[in-house]
Amino acid sequence: MATMGGDRRQMMEDVAEDKFPEGLRILVVDDDRVCLMVLEALLRRCKYQPTTVMDAKTALRMLMAGKQQFDLVITDVRMPDMDGFKLLELIRLEMDLPVIMLSVDCDKKVVMKGIEHGASDFMVKPVRTHELKN
Amino acid sequence: MMDLSEPTMDYSNLRRQITFMKKSFFDQGYLDEQFNQLEELQDESSPNFVEEVVALFLKDSPRLLSNIEQTIGKYPQDFYRLDSLVHQLKGSGSSIGAVRMKNECSVFKAHCNDRNLEGCRRSLQKMKREHATLKQKLESYFQLLRQVGPREHAVNSRK
């Protein structure tokens, strides 16, 4: 990944040292059902606890409502109702939750945009197991 | 449990057919490593995972293709929306390992970027053909798998 800022690097190191245990509660946001289904299965296989939603507004509602607690958000970069960067910004503003951006392409501009908006990491679809474990 | 009335010759023939078919998908470039990843995700708790994901793709993608077609037909051209739709198709195709479709989506996106309507039209036709071929191949594959029955899946057969 490209270079990141201070506290984000710490977060990445935490993840690398496997400070994130099994049962990590992850909110996954993607407008495509096929991607969601595959990602959910992948996350469960890694022993995480994924919750899937198909749009950013629902994701925000769930996060704000606070009925369910999450440790991490994984969101697609591009969605019809609200783009991933906007969601990322709103999440970073309102709460201290790491957000991983997900996209089909590994366009440097898109990655940099994600980092500027406060993304903790960036992954390219299709995601592989080892990427998630790290 | 083993069904003793079923002749083992037919069973191993079927298994061979399945393995060969799957290998041909990889050799001819229809599927990539992601498909293997899907098979790895299949287990006792989700024994039909691959078939379900593929079925979902085959269910949703025609609608996407049709939206793409409608959007191409609109005037004035909305290349941004077109690109978004193709982007989604690329994502879902790549999630099941449909590498030819994924690659054609990249070409399509480049045409959108260039505002090349003719290029977009050509890409759409190519994608529709790719989609039809992929659908036919995958449906045959799962039909064969179903004949083999739930006792064994093609999980262990590699490229």
Side-chain angles (χ1 to χ4, degrees):
Chain A
M1 296 291 120
T3 46
M4 295 185 199
D7 64 331
R8 268 171 249 143
R9 181 173 287 127
Q10 183 56 54
M11 203 235 126
M12 297 277 292
E13 282 171 14
D14 285 353
V15 177
E17 283 174 58
D18 199 22
K19 283 195 184 153
F20 284 97
E22 290 184 1
L24 200 66
R25 297 157 302 187
I26 308 182
L27 182 61
V28 189
V29 194
D30 195 317
D31 62 328
D32 186 77
R33 293 198 296 183
V34 177
C35 296
L36 271 181
M37 191 172 174
V38 176
L39 201 45
E40 184 178 23
L42 208 54
L43 291 169
R44 280 195 201 286
R45 180 56 72 82
C46 293
K47 306 270 208 292
Y48 299 140
Q49 278 181 45
T51 301
T52 57
V53 296
M54 289 190 67
D55 68 273
K57 296 210 175 97
T58 306
L60 270 174
R61 257 204 311 274
M62 285 180 80
L63 289 169
M64 302 296 196
K67 285 214 182 86
Q68 251 182 298
Q69 287 302 307
F70 294 101
D71 303 302
L72 173 69
V73 179
I74 297 180
T75 175
D76 190 10
V77 155
R78 221 156 145 181
M79 293 178 288
D81 72 329
M82 184 195 298
D83 88 26
F85 298 110
K86 186 80 195 155
L87 177 62
L88 166 61
E89 239 182 76
L90 289 171
I91 292 174
R92 297 292 293 167
L93 267 171
E94 299 290 330
M95 50 202 103
D96 192 19
L97 210 51
V99 181
I100 295 180
M101 307 298 293
L102 194 58
S103 182
V104 175
D105 313 294
C106 197
D107 183 333
K108 204 174 185 179
K109 287 195 292 276
V110 177
V111 176
M112 287 317 294
K113 189 173 178 186
I115 292 167
E116 281 159 27
H117 280 68
S120 303
D121 203 347
F122 197 99
M123 297 192 295
V124 180
K125 291 180 189 178
V127 179
R128 299 290 150 79
T129 326
H130 64 88
E131 284 178 77
L132 289 175
K133 288 196 166 146
N134 291 332
Chain B
M1 292 299 117
M2 189 73 166
D3 179 0
L4 295 171
S5 63
E6 183 171 301
T8 29
M9 270 304 273
D10 285 355
Y11 179 78
S12 47
N13 272 337
L14 264 176
R15 298 293 299 133
R16 246 194 306 275
Q17 257 187 288
I18 289 168
T19 306
F20 182 75
M21 195 185 260
K22 196 179 127 177
K23 185 175 186 300
S24 76
F25 294 165
F26 281 92
D27 292 343
Q28 290 165 26
Y30 284 100
L31 294 179
D32 67 14
E33 173 58 36
Q34 177 63 13
F35 193 79
N36 284 330
Q37 166 89 109
L38 292 186
E39 291 188 322
E40 271 161 39
L41 287 174
Q42 191 161 279
D43 55 24
E44 308 82 44
S45 64
S46 50
N48 300 309
F49 178 70
V50 189
E51 189 173 356
E52 284 165 7
V53 180
V54 170
L56 188 59
F57 174 77
L58 292 177
K59 183 168 181 223
D60 285 357
S61 48
R63 211 178 336 121
L64 260 177
L65 283 167
S66 146
N67 283 345
I68 289 170
E69 186 146 30
Q70 272 177 17
T71 307
I72 282 186
K74 283 213 182 98
Y75 190 84
Q77 274 86 48
D78 187 348
F79 286 106
Y80 183 76
R81 173 154 168 78
L82 204 49
D83 185 74
S84 297
L85 291 168
V86 178
H87 186 92
Q88 187 181 343
L89 186 60
K90 184 177 177 184
S92 74
S94 75
S95 293
I96 66 158
V99 58
R100 278 200 195 190
M101 285 212 63
K102 176 175 86 165
N103 291 339
E104 195 53 48
C105 284
S106 295
V107 174
F108 200 141
K109 277 166 73 76
H111 290 317
C112 290
N113 204 43
D114 295 338
R115 300 181 69 85
N116 178 356
L117 187 63
E118 209 29 63
C120 286
R121 285 205 181 106
R122 276 198 310 269
S123 270
L124 176 61
Q125 291 318 308
K126 259 206 186 146
M127 284 211 307
K128 280 160 81 172
R129 281 196 300 270
E130 280 303 327
H131 186 271
T133 307
L134 185 66
K135 177 177 153 98
Q136 183 247 318
K137 284 181 187 291
L138 287 173
E139 282 177 346
S140 309
Y141 177 72
F142 287 110
Q143 215 166 32
L144 270 187
L145 266 184
R146 259 177 262 136
Q147 279 179 56
V148 172
R151 93 194 97 208
E152 205 184 315
H153 295 274
V155 176
N156 293 318
S157 57
R158 291 282 172 253
K159 272 195 237 190

